[in-house]
Amino acid sequence: MSTNEVVKQVFLKAPRSRVWRALTDSKEFGSWFGMKLEGPFEPGKRMKGSISPTTVDPEVAKLQKPYEGTPAEFVVGEIVPETRFELKWHPFAVDPKVDYSKEEMTLITFTLEEKDGGVLLTVKESGFDKIPISRRAEALKSNDGGWAHQMELISKYLSRGS
């Protein structure tokens, strides 16, 4: 396992345009991801939000519930329609006593690749080597498991026919 990045993939039986909308419409993203976001995703935009349990899976929602209301901040990176979507954030930034704004953000890259019968979605979060050593291992472990859950959540969200 890399100490600098997390990579997860999921095959989604949905049209590329539908997967794209679930990723890049901030309301849809928030619904499956477990986040309330202020406004739409736009390249270069700094966005605020807060953890809000997913609407897709009650078990994952229970895991998110203790963090409900915890603020989150994103910076939207490049958006290449139906191909690549980038976000930056502070990984595993859930301790209200810590000022994460002084840390570097990790880069999250979602890529879509057309496959027979659907789309292969890959998420890669990189840049863990830039966060303080005191919390790097915990952030990496948490996000490795977190992205595994998120790939399941988007799959369930899209299979509902939303």
Side-chain angles (χ1 to χ4, degrees):
M1 182 167 143
S2 170
T3 61
N4 191 48
E5 68 183 23
V6 170
V7 179
K8 300 293 180 196
Q9 292 184 313
V10 65
F11 178 76
L12 302 167
K13 293 181 181 180
R16 188 179 199 133
S17 60
R18 181 64 194 102
V19 175
W20 184 251
R21 192 170 82 233
L23 281 174
T24 61
D25 177 295
S26 62
K27 284 188 169 80
E28 287 197 38
F29 180 93
S31 177
W32 62 265
F33 191 87
M35 189 76 60
K36 284 185 182 169
L37 296 164
E38 298 174 2
F41 292 126
E42 298 168 2
K45 182 178 180 181
R46 186 170 289 273
M47 297 181 68
K48 293 189 183 287
S50 62
I51 296 174
S52 176
T54 180
T55 62
V56 178
D57 184 303
E59 292 303 311
V60 176
K62 280 185 204 173
L63 296 172
Q64 294 172 330
K65 186 74 174 160
Y67 301 106
E68 187 170 17
T70 300
E73 187 175 31
F74 295 91
V75 175
V76 182
E78 189 173 27
I79 300 176
V80 180
E82 297 192 14
T83 304
R84 188 175 65 253
F85 174 50
E86 296 177 343
L87 295 171
K88 287 185 176 182
W89 73 348
H90 296 289
F92 198 58
V94 295
D95 185 341
K97 295 176 246 146
V98 175
D99 179 6
Y100 298 101
S101 68
K102 295 179 180 17
E103 294 182 9
E104 293 218 29
M105 294 177 150
T106 54
L107 174 65
I108 303 161
T109 305
F110 298 94
T111 55
L112 280 64
E113 183 181 346
E114 199 82 34
K115 295 285 183 184
D116 283 342
V119 174
L120 180 65
L121 170 63
T122 302
V123 62
K124 178 171 110 174
E125 183 176 4
S126 58
F128 287 93
D129 286 352
K130 296 177 185 172
I131 52 179
I133 191 74
S134 60
R135 63 182 220 88
R136 184 179 307 154
E138 184 178 21
L140 186 65
K141 179 180 176 190
S142 171
N143 285 23
D144 184 61
W147 285 119
H149 282 302
Q150 293 302 342
M151 296 295 95
E152 291 175 21
L153 292 176
I154 194 170
S155 181
K156 287 179 182 182
Y157 179 76
L158 291 169
S159 69
R160 294 188 326 188
S162 302

